[in-house]
Amino acid sequence: MYRAQQHALTLPAANDTGAVPGHKRGTGFAFDLDGTITRAELLPMIASELGLEAEMRLLTELTMSGMIPFEDSFRLRFAILRSAGLDRIQSIVSEVEFDPDIEQFIRENRDRCFVVTGNLDLWIAPLVERLGCRFYTSTATTEKDGWITGLDTVMRKNVAGLELKDEFDRLVAIGDGFNDVPLFDVADIGIAFTGLHGAPDALVSVSNYVALDGKSLCRLLNTL
């Protein structure tokens, strides 16, 4: 039996009233973060600012194609970036652009929209504040002074998806990479997003739809 609290931190929005026990509610939307909501992959963006772009790009490409399991890849990428101070990483992350149509859809449907990402809770805290919806993330261990000492849990997207299915009658998953396949496997509807780059065949094969950009994606979401 899956227990989401073992694998992910749930970060609720300030105005999120949450689910009513025993009552499911309509359709929920689970979004990947990098390359779906954001117009850049966050870890390569951070690495570029830190002069580690080549190493991070290779790991990201291998992960997106499914050649390295996400958890192994994330631990390697975390090891590369952990020496950077948290304030610096949050400053870099806070500058990322959102797809404006997807951002608007989430803001208008905050009680039904969720972000399911392997990124670290502390690193993406500025984006949680900007979007204001509930996030499922990987989590870190820290010292009293806030310095990140290691990984606590690495997100398993199917676990977050199963938790959301307990809350909603129907779950729609939106993502762009191989690591979104576990989320699509448990969702009722999967939408492969190709706004930043092409979705891998493995994701397309388990998708019901393919959306080319934010506008067409949100038109589709409004019909579901």
Side-chain angles (χ1 to χ4, degrees):
M1 180 177 180
Y2 291 109
R3 297 182 61 196
Q5 62 267 32
Q6 293 181 337
H7 306 292
L9 175 66
T10 302
L11 301 172
N15 61 348
D16 184 7
T17 58
V20 177
H23 296 274
K24 291 190 177 184
R25 50 191 183 100
T27 300
F29 301 94
F31 291 85
D32 171 52
L33 180 64
D34 289 48
T36 302
I37 298 173
T38 68
R39 286 185 158 176
E41 297 285 343
L42 292 181
L43 296 189
M45 178 181 170
I46 296 169
S48 177
E49 293 292 326
L50 300 177
L52 300 167
E53 187 174 12
E55 296 92 332
M56 194 61 66
R57 183 189 303 114
L58 176 60
L59 279 172
T60 299
E61 289 175 354
L62 292 174
T63 305
M64 292 294 290
S65 66
M67 296 183 69
I68 298 179
F70 175 81
E71 184 166 342
D72 294 344
S73 171
F74 187 76
R75 291 185 183 278
L76 288 170
R77 290 183 287 177
F78 172 78
I80 292 173
L81 298 178
R82 66 177 296 178
S83 60
L86 179 58
D87 288 345
R88 187 176 183 193
I89 289 181
Q90 287 186 345
S91 176
I92 295 168
V93 168
S94 66
E95 298 298 320
V96 72
E97 293 183 12
F98 289 153
D99 181 287
D101 297 290
I102 299 175
E103 179 181 9
Q104 181 178 350
F105 180 87
I106 292 174
R107 289 186 180 279
E108 292 175 351
N109 299 275
R110 283 179 179 172
D111 63 328
R112 298 191 296 142
C113 290
F114 307 86
V115 178
V116 181
T117 175
N119 277 297
L120 205 59
D121 53 349
L122 296 175
W123 285 351
I124 63 170
L127 306 188
V128 177
E129 293 182 9
R130 281 171 60 184
L131 278 178
C133 63
R134 195 191 308 171
F135 275 60
Y136 292 85
T137 73
S138 298
T139 62
T141 55
T142 60
E143 297 284 2
K144 290 182 179 179
D145 60 3
W147 190 261
I148 297 177
T149 56
L151 285 175
D152 182 17
T153 59
V154 177
M155 162 58 60
R156 296 183 181 180
K157 292 194 173 187
N158 59 328
V159 175
L162 289 171
E163 181 177 312
L164 289 170
K165 281 177 68 68
D166 285 339
E167 186 174 338
F168 290 91
D169 295 308
R170 183 174 63 165
L171 181 65
V172 178
I174 305 99
D176 70 332
F178 187 86
N179 66 310
D180 293 308
V181 170
L183 177 60
F184 279 42
D185 283 342
V186 300
D188 299 290
I189 296 174
I191 305 174
F193 184 66
T194 62
L196 185 63
H197 47 67
D201 291 342
L203 184 67
V204 174
S205 68
V206 295
S207 301
N208 302 96
Y209 304 94
V210 175
L212 302 181
D213 54 41
K215 285 188 181 298
S216 59
L217 171 63
C218 292
R219 283 197 299 267
L220 173 59
L221 296 180
N222 281 314
T223 69
L224 297 176

